[in-house]
Amino acid sequence: MPTEIKVPTLGESVTTATVGKWLKQPGEAVKEDEPVVELETDKVSVEVPAPAAGRLENHAVKEGDEVEVGAVLALLEAGAVGKAAAPAAQAAPAQLTPAPKAEAQAAPPAETDYDVVVIGAGPGGYVCAIRAAQLGFKVACVEKRATLGGTCLNVGCIPSKALLQSSENYHAAGHDFAAHGVLIESVKLDLAKMQARKADIVGANVKGVEFLFKKNGITWLKGHGKVEGTGRLSVDGKPVTARHIIIASGSDSANLPGIEVDEKVIVTSTGALELSEVPKRLVVIGGGVIGLELGSVWHRLGAEVTVVEFLDRLVPGTDNEVAAQFQKLLTKQGFRMKLGHKVTKAEKTKKGVVLSIEPSAGGTVETLEADVVLVAVGRTAASKNMGLEEAGIALDKRGRVEVDAHYATSVPGIYAIGDVIAGPMLAHKAEEEGVALAELLAGQAGHVNYDAIPGVIYTWPEVASVGFTEEQLKDKGVAYKTGKFPFLANGRARALGMTDGFVKVLADKQTDRVLGVHIIGPAAGELIAEATMAIEFGASAEDIGRVCHAHPTLSEAVKEAALGADNRAINI
């Protein structure tokens, strides 16, 4: 009896699809799980696989037909032998450069070592691997580090937040506790113990990922991964095959021409996390997130910190009003700012480093002396030495892997997510893409809303944003209204003694839909979650304002700012 190939479940609230393209014709032989037809919805394109090996008998619907979930698409004579499909080159995804090498266009091997192999075990890679395993795929993850977790867990997000918390506690004990009636005669720093605590936190996290791999039956392929073509890669030279290959190699610290990093006196973020003593003078090149966070750590512990930034402002891309307030508060704390300047030379001396700097547009050169220089001018996609270009995978001018809306590269069966593709280089963005891609490969409706990706700067005060800035809305010609509420008027902030900053809500002037939320102040990174959910579900500012918020809490500032968009704030 023929087997029916039906329209699968396409995701919540999706009930119909359009038949986009038949990948197999009547009479052709198909393998189990081999794609037979491509369906399209307004959210996603899905390939429907054969439930068993056999011969395709007929098409029950035509290309362009609209079909409902559960409808029969074709009949399959399971186990029957059909004619071989005529050879045809697979087209590259739309808007991508076709792969130049013929072998990269070949079909994956009939039998593979794994269903899915992920290259890179950072947040995007390990989350993608876990979700794929949950969906029933046989999964392996390639990682050359001695531990899992990638840059984020090993030398990025986690260790930096550990030091930020420890340094904040140290600073508070010496400067803030007295206002609460807590008198400490002498506060001493044990940097070695602080670093050991950080190392313990990192160890616990990376071991946690290793446990999750074992729990989900994921194989850790230890070594350097290199892509060979569709369905083929190698790990330290050993061949591995897979139906789907996912590049999640992350990013590396960007360098400045002529400045040699030694991770001792001229350091990247990696070296800045491992300093064995507090530098008297720290110069941070770059006024972005990484530089300001690590600058904050060492400033709290006693370093004189100078920030040299090419632009005339800090944290480009952040709402202008927030950025201006942020700069004002950091300057008040003691940060020295050299905005609109560039470093042209770094000369190591017996005492440290002498930097030559000048205005970004050119002008008089001056020198800065430092014990340690932190180069924090951004990050670049980690796409080198992986065989990507040799395999025919298209890269953009910045070395990022080009992908379509479903994370497919220009070579069939190979995908990419996270920092190695375009978009904000954020761990949680990579995680969402990893989950979405795993679900797409399983025939589900994986999706990422890039208008609802929050960003957080974990300094004091914290800065958090989601959605559009005022400047972006003006550029788009969108009519909007603004609600703003200061933490100075929030009871919980006063009780904490943390009244710097404000919450700013931007809403569509006609519909009241929330378009962006920007927070500078205490716990901004936690408060932004409510705003992110509001944008994800298309809530209005009034929706936030009508939700009951516990009193007294910092979250009431979000409610008040939302009410303020309609001139209805209560406590100001």
Side-chain angles (χ1 to χ4, degrees), residues 294-357:
L294 292 175
S296 292
V297 168
W298 297 108
H299 176 66
R300 292 167 184 167
L301 299 180
E304 296 176 357
V305 177
T306 301
V307 178
V308 182
E309 167 56 45
F310 186 85
L311 301 177
D312 60 359
R313 56 163 291 167
L314 299 177
V315 287
T318 305
D319 183 271
N320 283 354
E321 187 177 11
V322 170
Q325 178 74 351
F326 190 34
Q327 180 183 333
K328 179 180 178 181
L329 292 172
L330 289 180
T331 301
K332 183 179 178 181
Q333 291 172 23
F335 277 73
R336 299 174 182 177
M337 304 291 178
K338 295 291 291 185
L339 305 182
H341 281 73
K342 61 183 178 182
V343 176
T344 58
K345 185 179 179 181
E347 182 180 357
K348 296 179 186 178
T349 68
K350 292 182 179 180
K351 295 183 179 180
V353 185
V354 176
L355 296 175
S356 298
I357 69 170

Short mmCIF file of all heavy atoms in Angstrom, two decimals, residues 294-357:
data_model
loop_
_atom_site.label_atom_id
_atom_site.label_comp_id
_atom_site.label_asym_id
_atom_site.label_seq_id
_atom_site.Cartn_x
_atom_site.Cartn_y
_atom_site.Cartn_z
N LEU A 294 35.41 46.40 30.61
CA LEU A 294 36.68 46.04 31.22
C LEU A 294 37.38 47.25 31.80
O LEU A 294 38.08 47.15 32.82
CB LEU A 294 37.56 45.33 30.19
CG LEU A 294 37.04 43.95 29.78
CD1 LEU A 294 37.89 43.36 28.66
CD2 LEU A 294 37.00 43.01 30.98
N GLY A 295 37.19 48.41 31.18
CA GLY A 295 37.71 49.64 31.77
C GLY A 295 37.09 49.89 33.13
O GLY A 295 37.76 50.33 34.07
N SER A 296 35.79 49.57 33.27
CA SER A 296 35.10 49.74 34.55
C SER A 296 35.68 48.82 35.62
O SER A 296 35.84 49.22 36.78
CB SER A 296 33.61 49.46 34.38
OG SER A 296 32.99 50.45 33.60
N VAL A 297 35.99 47.57 35.25
CA VAL A 297 36.57 46.64 36.21
C VAL A 297 37.83 47.22 36.83
O VAL A 297 37.97 47.32 38.06
CB VAL A 297 36.90 45.29 35.52
CG1 VAL A 297 37.78 44.43 36.45
CG2 VAL A 297 35.63 44.54 35.17
N TRP A 298 38.76 47.64 35.99
CA TRP A 298 40.06 48.08 36.50
C TRP A 298 40.00 49.49 37.10
O TRP A 298 40.77 49.81 38.02
CB TRP A 298 41.11 47.97 35.40
CG TRP A 298 41.27 46.54 34.99
CD1 TRP A 298 40.87 45.94 33.84
CD2 TRP A 298 41.80 45.49 35.82
NE1 TRP A 298 41.12 44.59 33.86
CE2 TRP A 298 41.71 44.29 35.07
CE3 TRP A 298 42.36 45.45 37.09
CZ2 TRP A 298 42.14 43.06 35.57
CZ3 TRP A 298 42.80 44.23 37.59
CH2 TRP A 298 42.69 43.05 36.84
N HIS A 299 39.07 50.31 36.63
CA HIS A 299 38.88 51.63 37.25
C HIS A 299 38.37 51.48 38.69
O HIS A 299 38.86 52.16 39.61
CB HIS A 299 37.88 52.45 36.44
CG HIS A 299 37.55 53.78 37.04
ND1 HIS A 299 38.47 54.80 37.17
CD2 HIS A 299 36.40 54.25 37.57
CE1 HIS A 299 37.91 55.84 37.74
NE2 HIS A 299 36.65 55.53 38.00
N ARG A 300 37.43 50.57 38.90
CA ARG A 300 36.91 50.36 40.26
C ARG A 300 37.99 49.84 41.20
O ARG A 300 37.95 50.08 42.41
CB ARG A 300 35.76 49.35 40.22
CG ARG A 300 34.51 49.84 39.53
CD ARG A 300 33.57 48.66 39.28
NE ARG A 300 32.39 49.05 38.52
CZ ARG A 300 31.57 48.18 37.96
NH1 ARG A 300 31.79 46.88 38.06
NH2 ARG A 300 30.51 48.60 37.29
N LEU A 301 38.93 49.09 40.63
CA LEU A 301 39.99 48.50 41.45
C LEU A 301 41.17 49.45 41.64
O LEU A 301 42.14 49.10 42.33
CB LEU A 301 40.48 47.19 40.83
CG LEU A 301 39.40 46.09 40.70
CD1 LEU A 301 40.00 44.84 40.07
CD2 LEU A 301 38.78 45.77 42.05
N GLY A 302 41.11 50.65 41.03
CA GLY A 302 42.13 51.66 41.30
C GLY A 302 42.87 52.22 40.12
O GLY A 302 43.71 53.11 40.28
N ALA A 303 42.64 51.74 38.91
CA ALA A 303 43.37 52.24 37.75
C ALA A 303 42.82 53.58 37.28
O ALA A 303 41.63 53.86 37.39
CB ALA A 303 43.29 51.23 36.60
N GLU A 304 43.73 54.41 36.75
CA GLU A 304 43.31 55.63 36.05
C GLU A 304 43.02 55.21 34.61
O GLU A 304 43.90 54.70 33.92
CB GLU A 304 44.43 56.68 36.07
CG GLU A 304 44.77 57.20 37.45
CD GLU A 304 45.94 58.17 37.41
OE1 GLU A 304 46.51 58.39 36.30
OE2 GLU A 304 46.30 58.70 38.47
N VAL A 305 41.80 55.41 34.17
CA VAL A 305 41.40 54.90 32.86
C VAL A 305 41.13 56.04 31.90
O VAL A 305 40.37 56.97 32.19
CB VAL A 305 40.13 54.01 32.98
CG1 VAL A 305 39.67 53.56 31.59
CG2 VAL A 305 40.41 52.81 33.87
N THR A 306 41.78 55.97 30.73
CA THR A 306 41.54 56.92 29.64
C THR A 306 41.00 56.16 28.44
O THR A 306 41.57 55.14 28.03
CB THR A 306 42.85 57.64 29.24
OG1 THR A 306 43.37 58.32 30.37
CG2 THR A 306 42.59 58.64 28.12
N VAL A 307 39.91 56.64 27.89
CA VAL A 307 39.28 56.02 26.73
C VAL A 307 39.57 56.86 25.49
O VAL A 307 39.26 58.06 25.46
CB VAL A 307 37.75 55.88 26.92
CG1 VAL A 307 37.12 55.27 25.67
CG2 VAL A 307 37.44 55.04 28.14
N VAL A 308 40.19 56.23 24.49
CA VAL A 308 40.44 56.90 23.21
C VAL A 308 39.47 56.31 22.19
O VAL A 308 39.51 55.12 21.89
CB VAL A 308 41.90 56.67 22.73
CG1 VAL A 308 42.13 57.41 21.41
CG2 VAL A 308 42.89 57.15 23.79
N GLU A 309 38.60 57.15 21.65
CA GLU A 309 37.57 56.70 20.71
C GLU A 309 37.63 57.53 19.43
O GLU A 309 37.69 58.76 19.47
CB GLU A 309 36.19 56.81 21.35
CG GLU A 309 35.00 56.68 20.42
CD GLU A 309 34.99 55.39 19.61
OE1 GLU A 309 35.24 54.32 20.21
OE2 GLU A 309 34.74 55.45 18.39
N PHE A 310 37.62 56.84 18.29
CA PHE A 310 37.71 57.49 16.98
C PHE A 310 36.54 58.43 16.73
O PHE A 310 36.70 59.52 16.19
CB PHE A 310 37.76 56.42 15.90
CG PHE A 310 37.99 56.95 14.51
CD1 PHE A 310 39.27 57.21 14.05
CD2 PHE A 310 36.91 57.21 13.67
CE1 PHE A 310 39.48 57.71 12.78
CE2 PHE A 310 37.11 57.71 12.39
CZ PHE A 310 38.40 57.97 11.94
N LEU A 311 35.33 58.02 17.14
CA LEU A 311 34.14 58.86 16.95
C LEU A 311 34.06 59.91 18.04
O LEU A 311 34.80 59.88 19.04
CB LEU A 311 32.89 57.99 16.94
CG LEU A 311 32.83 56.90 15.86
CD1 LEU A 311 31.57 56.07 16.01
CD2 LEU A 311 32.89 57.53 14.46
N ASP A 312 33.13 60.82 17.90
CA ASP A 312 32.98 61.88 18.90
C ASP A 312 31.96 61.51 19.98
O ASP A 312 31.43 62.38 20.67
CB ASP A 312 32.57 63.20 18.22
CG ASP A 312 31.25 63.09 17.46
OD1 ASP A 312 30.65 62.00 17.45
OD2 ASP A 312 30.82 64.10 16.87
N ARG A 313 31.68 60.22 20.13
CA ARG A 313 30.72 59.74 21.11
C ARG A 313 31.08 58.32 21.52
O ARG A 313 31.86 57.64 20.84
CB ARG A 313 29.30 59.74 20.53
CG ARG A 313 29.18 58.95 19.25
CD ARG A 313 27.75 58.61 18.91
NE ARG A 313 27.19 57.65 19.83
CZ ARG A 313 25.90 57.36 19.91
NH1 ARG A 313 25.03 57.98 19.16
NH2 ARG A 313 25.46 56.47 20.77
N LEU A 314 30.50 57.87 22.61
CA LEU A 314 30.67 56.49 23.05
C LEU A 314 29.59 55.61 22.44
O LEU A 314 28.58 56.09 21.90
CB LEU A 314 30.59 56.41 24.58
CG LEU A 314 31.63 57.17 25.38
CD1 LEU A 314 31.34 57.04 26.88
CD2 LEU A 314 33.04 56.69 25.07
N VAL A 315 29.79 54.30 22.54
CA VAL A 315 28.83 53.26 22.15
C VAL A 315 27.95 53.64 20.96
O VAL A 315 26.76 53.88 21.10
CB VAL A 315 27.96 52.80 23.34
CG1 VAL A 315 28.77 51.96 24.29
CG2 VAL A 315 27.36 53.98 24.11
N PRO A 316 28.56 53.71 19.77
CA PRO A 316 27.77 54.03 18.57
C PRO A 316 26.63 53.04 18.37
O PRO A 316 26.77 51.85 18.65
CB PRO A 316 28.80 53.93 17.43
CG PRO A 316 29.94 53.14 18.00
CD PRO A 316 29.97 53.44 19.45
N GLY A 317 25.51 53.56 17.90
CA GLY A 317 24.33 52.73 17.70
C GLY A 317 23.35 52.81 18.85
O GLY A 317 22.18 52.46 18.71
N THR A 318 23.84 53.28 20.01
CA THR A 318 22.96 53.48 21.16
C THR A 318 22.19 54.78 20.98
O THR A 318 22.67 55.72 20.35
CB THR A 318 23.79 53.53 22.46
OG1 THR A 318 24.57 52.36 22.55
CG2 THR A 318 22.90 53.63 23.69
N ASP A 319 20.99 54.85 21.53
CA ASP A 319 20.19 56.07 21.50
C ASP A 319 21.04 57.26 21.96
O ASP A 319 21.74 57.19 22.96
CB ASP A 319 18.98 55.89 22.43
CG ASP A 319 18.04 57.07 22.41
OD1 ASP A 319 18.25 58.01 23.21
OD2 ASP A 319 17.11 57.07 21.60
N ASN A 320 21.01 58.34 21.20
CA ASN A 320 21.88 59.49 21.46
C ASN A 320 21.72 60.06 22.87
O ASN A 320 22.70 60.42 23.53
CB ASN A 320 21.61 60.60 20.44
CG ASN A 320 22.23 60.30 19.09
OD1 ASN A 320 22.96 59.32 18.93
ND2 ASN A 320 21.94 61.13 18.10
N GLU A 321 20.49 60.15 23.33
CA GLU A 321 20.25 60.71 24.66
C GLU A 321 20.83 59.81 25.74
O GLU A 321 21.42 60.30 26.72
CB GLU A 321 18.74 60.90 24.88
CG GLU A 321 18.40 61.63 26.17
CD GLU A 321 16.91 61.87 26.34
OE1 GLU A 321 16.12 61.29 25.55
OE2 GLU A 321 16.53 62.63 27.24
N VAL A 322 20.70 58.52 25.56
CA VAL A 322 21.27 57.57 26.52
C VAL A 322 22.79 57.65 26.49
O VAL A 322 23.45 57.67 27.53
CB VAL A 322 20.80 56.14 26.20
CG1 VAL A 322 21.57 55.12 27.03
CG2 VAL A 322 19.30 56.00 26.46
N ALA A 323 23.37 57.70 25.29
CA ALA A 323 24.83 57.76 25.15
C ALA A 323 25.39 59.01 25.81
O ALA A 323 26.45 58.96 26.46
CB ALA A 323 25.22 57.71 23.68
N ALA A 324 24.71 60.14 25.66
CA ALA A 324 25.18 61.39 26.27
C ALA A 324 25.15 61.31 27.79
O ALA A 324 26.10 61.73 28.47
CB ALA A 324 24.32 62.55 25.77
N GLN A 325 24.07 60.75 28.34
CA GLN A 325 23.97 60.58 29.79
C GLN A 325 25.02 59.60 30.29
O GLN A 325 25.63 59.79 31.35
CB GLN A 325 22.57 60.08 30.15
CG GLN A 325 22.33 59.82 31.64
CD GLN A 325 22.19 61.10 32.46
OE1 GLN A 325 22.42 62.19 31.94
NE2 GLN A 325 21.81 60.97 33.72
N PHE A 326 25.26 58.54 29.53
CA PHE A 326 26.25 57.52 29.88
C PHE A 326 27.64 58.14 29.97
O PHE A 326 28.38 57.92 30.93
CB PHE A 326 26.21 56.43 28.81
CG PHE A 326 27.00 55.19 29.13
CD1 PHE A 326 27.13 54.72 30.43
CD2 PHE A 326 27.61 54.48 28.11
CE1 PHE A 326 27.85 53.57 30.71
CE2 PHE A 326 28.32 53.32 28.37
CZ PHE A 326 28.45 52.88 29.67
N GLN A 327 28.00 58.92 28.98
CA GLN A 327 29.31 59.58 28.98
C GLN A 327 29.44 60.52 30.18
O GLN A 327 30.49 60.56 30.84
CB GLN A 327 29.49 60.38 27.68
CG GLN A 327 30.83 61.10 27.60
CD GLN A 327 30.95 61.94 26.34
OE1 GLN A 327 30.32 61.64 25.33
NE2 GLN A 327 31.75 62.99 26.40
N LYS A 328 28.39 61.24 30.48
CA LYS A 328 28.41 62.17 31.61
C LYS A 328 28.64 61.43 32.92
O LYS A 328 29.45 61.86 33.76
CB LYS A 328 27.07 62.93 31.65
CG LYS A 328 26.96 63.92 32.80
CD LYS A 328 25.61 64.62 32.74
CE LYS A 328 25.45 65.58 33.92
NZ LYS A 328 24.11 66.25 33.89
N LEU A 329 27.98 60.30 33.11
CA LEU A 329 28.11 59.55 34.36
C LEU A 329 29.47 58.88 34.48
O LEU A 329 30.06 58.83 35.56
CB LEU A 329 26.98 58.52 34.46
CG LEU A 329 25.57 59.10 34.63
CD1 LEU A 329 24.52 58.02 34.53
CD2 LEU A 329 25.46 59.83 35.98
N LEU A 330 30.00 58.35 33.36
CA LEU A 330 31.33 57.74 33.41
C LEU A 330 32.40 58.78 33.70
O LEU A 330 33.35 58.53 34.45
CB LEU A 330 31.63 57.03 32.09
CG LEU A 330 30.85 55.75 31.80
CD1 LEU A 330 31.26 55.17 30.45
CD2 LEU A 330 31.03 54.71 32.90
N THR A 331 32.25 59.97 33.11
CA THR A 331 33.20 61.05 33.38
C THR A 331 33.14 61.46 34.85
O THR A 331 34.18 61.71 35.48
CB THR A 331 32.89 62.25 32.47
OG1 THR A 331 32.97 61.84 31.10
CG2 THR A 331 33.88 63.38 32.71
N LYS A 332 31.94 61.50 35.39
CA LYS A 332 31.76 61.84 36.80
C LYS A 332 32.45 60.82 37.71
O LYS A 332 32.98 61.16 38.76
CB LYS A 332 30.26 61.90 37.12
CG LYS A 332 29.94 62.31 38.55
CD LYS A 332 28.43 62.37 38.75
CE LYS A 332 28.08 62.73 40.18
NZ LYS A 332 26.60 62.76 40.39
N GLN A 333 32.47 59.55 37.26
CA GLN A 333 33.13 58.50 38.03
C GLN A 333 34.65 58.62 37.99
O GLN A 333 35.34 58.05 38.83
CB GLN A 333 32.72 57.13 37.49
CG GLN A 333 31.27 56.76 37.74
CD GLN A 333 30.87 55.48 37.03
OE1 GLN A 333 31.71 54.65 36.69
NE2 GLN A 333 29.58 55.31 36.78
N GLY A 334 35.18 59.34 36.98
CA GLY A 334 36.63 59.50 36.89
C GLY A 334 37.24 59.02 35.59
O GLY A 334 38.47 59.11 35.41
N PHE A 335 36.43 58.48 34.67
CA PHE A 335 36.96 58.11 33.36
C PHE A 335 37.43 59.37 32.62
O PHE A 335 36.76 60.41 32.67
CB PHE A 335 35.88 57.44 32.51
CG PHE A 335 35.69 55.97 32.76
CD1 PHE A 335 35.07 55.53 33.94
CD2 PHE A 335 36.11 55.03 31.85
CE1 PHE A 335 34.88 54.19 34.18
CE2 PHE A 335 35.92 53.68 32.07
CZ PHE A 335 35.31 53.25 33.24
N ARG A 336 38.55 59.26 31.95
CA ARG A 336 39.03 60.35 31.11
C ARG A 336 38.70 59.99 29.65
O ARG A 336 38.95 58.88 29.21
CB ARG A 336 40.53 60.55 31.28
CG ARG A 336 40.92 60.93 32.71
CD ARG A 336 42.42 60.99 32.87
NE ARG A 336 42.79 61.31 34.25
CZ ARG A 336 44.04 61.37 34.70
NH1 ARG A 336 45.06 61.11 33.87
NH2 ARG A 336 44.29 61.67 35.96
N MET A 337 38.17 60.94 28.92
CA MET A 337 37.71 60.68 27.55
C MET A 337 38.53 61.46 26.53
O MET A 337 38.75 62.67 26.69
CB MET A 337 36.23 61.07 27.40
CG MET A 337 35.29 60.38 28.38
SD MET A 337 35.14 58.61 28.03
CE MET A 337 34.05 58.11 29.37
N LYS A 338 39.00 60.77 25.52
CA LYS A 338 39.64 61.40 24.37
C LYS A 338 38.82 60.97 23.15
O LYS A 338 39.20 60.07 22.39
CB LYS A 338 41.09 60.95 24.23
CG LYS A 338 41.99 61.39 25.36
CD LYS A 338 42.21 62.90 25.38
CE LYS A 338 43.04 63.36 24.20
NZ LYS A 338 43.35 64.81 24.29
N LEU A 339 37.66 61.62 22.98
CA LEU A 339 36.77 61.29 21.88
C LEU A 339 37.21 62.03 20.62
O LEU A 339 37.85 63.08 20.69
CB LEU A 339 35.33 61.65 22.24
CG LEU A 339 34.79 61.03 23.55
CD1 LEU A 339 33.34 61.42 23.75
CD2 LEU A 339 34.95 59.52 23.55
N GLY A 340 36.87 61.46 19.47
CA GLY A 340 37.28 62.06 18.22
C GLY A 340 38.77 61.98 18.00
O GLY A 340 39.36 62.84 17.33
N HIS A 341 39.42 60.95 18.53
CA HIS A 341 40.86 60.77 18.41
C HIS A 341 41.19 59.34 17.95
O HIS A 341 40.39 58.42 18.14
CB HIS A 341 41.57 61.05 19.73
CG HIS A 341 41.73 62.51 20.02
ND1 HIS A 341 40.68 63.32 20.39
CD2 HIS A 341 42.84 63.32 19.97
CE1 HIS A 341 41.12 64.56 20.57
NE2 HIS A 341 42.42 64.59 20.32
N LYS A 342 42.36 59.18 17.38
CA LYS A 342 42.83 57.87 16.94
C LYS A 342 44.26 57.64 17.39
O LYS A 342 45.03 58.59 17.58
CB LYS A 342 42.74 57.74 15.42
CG LYS A 342 43.58 58.76 14.66
CD LYS A 342 43.39 58.62 13.16
CE LYS A 342 44.20 59.68 12.39
NZ LYS A 342 43.98 59.59 10.92
N VAL A 343 44.61 56.38 17.60
CA VAL A 343 45.96 55.99 17.97
C VAL A 343 46.73 55.68 16.70
O VAL A 343 46.29 54.87 15.88
CB VAL A 343 45.95 54.77 18.91
CG1 VAL A 343 47.38 54.31 19.20
CG2 VAL A 343 45.22 55.10 20.20
N THR A 344 47.86 56.30 16.53
CA THR A 344 48.66 56.09 15.32
C THR A 344 49.92 55.27 15.57
O THR A 344 50.52 54.74 14.64
CB THR A 344 49.07 57.45 14.70
OG1 THR A 344 49.80 58.22 15.68
CG2 THR A 344 47.84 58.23 14.27
N LYS A 345 50.31 55.14 16.85
CA LYS A 345 51.54 54.41 17.14
C LYS A 345 51.53 53.96 18.59
O LYS A 345 51.01 54.64 19.47
CB LYS A 345 52.75 55.32 16.89
CG LYS A 345 54.10 54.64 17.04
CD LYS A 345 55.23 55.63 16.73
CE LYS A 345 56.60 55.00 16.90
NZ LYS A 345 57.69 55.98 16.62
N ALA A 346 52.10 52.78 18.84
CA ALA A 346 52.24 52.27 20.20
C ALA A 346 53.67 51.77 20.37
O ALA A 346 54.08 50.84 19.69
CB ALA A 346 51.24 51.15 20.46
N GLU A 347 54.41 52.39 21.25
CA GLU A 347 55.81 52.03 21.47
C GLU A 347 55.99 51.48 22.89
O GLU A 347 55.71 52.17 23.88
CB GLU A 347 56.70 53.25 21.27
CG GLU A 347 58.19 52.96 21.42
CD GLU A 347 59.05 54.20 21.22
OE1 GLU A 347 58.48 55.26 20.90
OE2 GLU A 347 60.27 54.10 21.40
N LYS A 348 56.45 50.25 22.99
CA LYS A 348 56.69 49.64 24.29
C LYS A 348 57.98 50.20 24.89
O LYS A 348 58.98 50.37 24.20
CB LYS A 348 56.79 48.13 24.16
CG LYS A 348 55.50 47.46 23.70
CD LYS A 348 55.68 45.96 23.59
CE LYS A 348 54.46 45.30 22.98
NZ LYS A 348 54.64 43.84 22.82
N THR A 349 57.93 50.47 26.19
CA THR A 349 59.09 50.94 26.92
C THR A 349 59.29 50.07 28.16
O THR A 349 58.48 49.17 28.43
CB THR A 349 58.91 52.41 27.35
OG1 THR A 349 57.87 52.48 28.34
CG2 THR A 349 58.53 53.28 26.16
N LYS A 350 60.32 50.34 28.92
CA LYS A 350 60.56 49.59 30.14
C LYS A 350 59.46 49.84 31.17
O LYS A 350 59.20 49.00 32.03
CB LYS A 350 61.92 49.96 30.73
CG LYS A 350 63.11 49.50 29.89
CD LYS A 350 64.41 49.87 30.55
CE LYS A 350 65.60 49.39 29.72
NZ LYS A 350 66.90 49.74 30.36
N LYS A 351 58.82 50.99 31.07
CA LYS A 351 57.78 51.36 32.03
C LYS A 351 56.37 51.01 31.56
O LYS A 351 55.42 51.10 32.34
CB LYS A 351 57.86 52.85 32.34
CG LYS A 351 59.15 53.28 33.04
CD LYS A 351 59.12 54.76 33.36
CE LYS A 351 60.39 55.18 34.10
NZ LYS A 351 60.38 56.63 34.42
N GLY A 352 56.22 50.65 30.29
CA GLY A 352 54.89 50.34 29.78
C GLY A 352 54.78 50.62 28.30
O GLY A 352 55.54 50.08 27.50
N VAL A 353 53.85 51.51 27.92
CA VAL A 353 53.59 51.82 26.52
C VAL A 353 53.40 53.32 26.36
O VAL A 353 52.74 53.96 27.18
CB VAL A 353 52.32 51.10 26.00
CG1 VAL A 353 52.14 51.34 24.51
CG2 VAL A 353 52.39 49.61 26.29
N VAL A 354 53.98 53.86 25.29
CA VAL A 354 53.74 55.26 24.92
C VAL A 354 52.92 55.26 23.64
O VAL A 354 53.35 54.71 22.62
CB VAL A 354 55.06 56.03 24.71
CG1 VAL A 354 54.76 57.46 24.24
CG2 VAL A 354 55.86 56.06 26.01
N LEU A 355 51.76 55.86 23.70
CA LEU A 355 50.86 55.94 22.55
C LEU A 355 50.94 57.31 21.90
O LEU A 355 50.97 58.33 22.60
CB LEU A 355 49.42 55.67 22.98
CG LEU A 355 49.09 54.29 23.55
CD1 LEU A 355 47.64 54.27 24.02
CD2 LEU A 355 49.32 53.20 22.52
N SER A 356 50.94 57.33 20.58
CA SER A 356 50.81 58.57 19.83
C SER A 356 49.37 58.67 19.36
O SER A 356 48.86 57.75 18.72
CB SER A 356 51.75 58.57 18.62
OG SER A 356 53.10 58.50 19.03
N ILE A 357 48.69 59.76 19.70
CA ILE A 357 47.30 59.94 19.29
C ILE A 357 47.14 61.30 18.63
O ILE A 357 47.91 62.23 18.88
CB ILE A 357 46.32 59.80 20.47
CG1 ILE A 357 46.48 60.96 21.45
CG2 ILE A 357 46.50 58.48 21.18
CD1 ILE A 357 45.39 61.02 22.50
#
